[in-house]
């Protein structure tokens, strides 16, 4: 009976619109390298990449109701944004290999499937993720400040 309940829960989770949106985002952003292509748009590419994580955050917080999973998803997402912000197209090349959406989808899928190894791993990294998230947020703010300063310096030269 427990296995039947798990299978029913799995079907309900996989039929959720947020889950389907995450699956589509993963396909387009990572498998078709749209994340790297969008990253070429100055100022907007990384913002769009950050917004693409909203279905993952919503699904982990509201549907699965797992704070450790949400922290791990945010950790991957902010790391992706920070790496994508590296100038001169280096960040966009890194985006091709980092594939944050694929990693997030694998964690969500592990929770949906009840994969004990993934659940245990995510739970063990909850505190680490919280600390890394704070550091990544600080680094993103620092990177934005540096890019704005560099832009104003270039502007003042002309």
């Amino acid at each position: 009976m427990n296995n039947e309940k798990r299978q029913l829960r799995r079907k309900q989770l996989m039929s959720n619109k947020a889950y389907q949106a995450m699956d589509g985002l993963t396909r387009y952003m990572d498998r078709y390298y749209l994340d790297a292509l969008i990253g070429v748009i100055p100022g907007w590419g990384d913002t769009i990449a950050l917004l693409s994580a909203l279905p993952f955050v919503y699904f982990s917080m509201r549907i699965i109701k797992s704070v450790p999973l949400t922290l791990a998803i945010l950790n991957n997402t902010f790391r992706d944004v920070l790496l994508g912000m590296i100038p001169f197209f280096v960040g966009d090349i890194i985006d091709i290999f980092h594939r944050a959406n694929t990693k997030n989808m694998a964690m969500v899928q592990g929770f949906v499937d009840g994969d004990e190894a993934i659940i245990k791993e995510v739970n063990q990294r909850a505190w680490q993720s919280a600390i890394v998230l704070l550091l990544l947020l600080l680094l993103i703010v620092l990177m934005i400040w540096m890019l704005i300063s560099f832009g104003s310096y270039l502007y003042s030269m002309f």
Side-chain angles (χ1 to χ4, degrees), residues 139-152:
L139 287 172
I140 288 171
V141 169
L142 178 64
M143 183 68 85
I144 290 170
W145 176 78
M146 288 173 45
L147 290 172
I148 290 172
S149 298
F150 183 67
S152 352

Side-chain angles (χ1 to χ4, degrees), residues 19-37:
Y19 184 89
Q20 294 168 357
M22 292 183 311
D23 191 41
L25 279 170
T26 300
R27 185 178 325 106
Y28 290 109
M29 295 295 273
D30 288 347
R31 292 183 198 146
Y32 300 136
Y33 308 109
L34 193 58
D35 190 14
L37 291 174

Side-chain angles (χ1 to χ4, degrees), residues 38-39 41-49:
I38 290 173
I41 304 168
W44 287 100
D46 297 313
T47 305
I48 293 169

Side-chain angles (χ1 to χ4, degrees), residues 46-129:
D46 297 313
T47 305
I48 293 169
L50 185 62
L51 291 175
S52 73
L54 289 178
F56 291 97
V57 172
Y58 173 81
F59 194 80
S60 63
M61 285 281 297
R62 304 290 283 167
I63 308 300
I64 295 180
K65 297 180 176 145
S66 171
V67 172
L69 177 62
T70 305
L71 288 173
I73 286 171
L74 288 172
N75 186 347
N76 279 340
T77 302
F78 288 138
R79 185 179 297 134
D80 184 53
V81 169
L82 181 64
L83 291 172
M85 291 175 77
I86 297 173
F88 306 114
F89 304 108
V90 174
D92 301 319
I93 293 169
I94 291 172
D95 269 344
I96 291 172
F97 300 104
H98 186 253
R99 298 183 180 208
N101 292 315
T102 301
K103 292 176 185 177
N104 289 341
M105 192 66 187
M107 287 189 295
V108 167
Q109 190 66 45
F111 267 75
V112 168
D113 290 341
D115 186 341
E116 305 264 339
I118 290 178
I119 293 170
K120 184 178 179 182
E121 179 184 340
V122 169
N123 286 333
Q124 287 175 345
R125 293 185 178 188
W127 283 105
Q128 174 195 3
S129 294

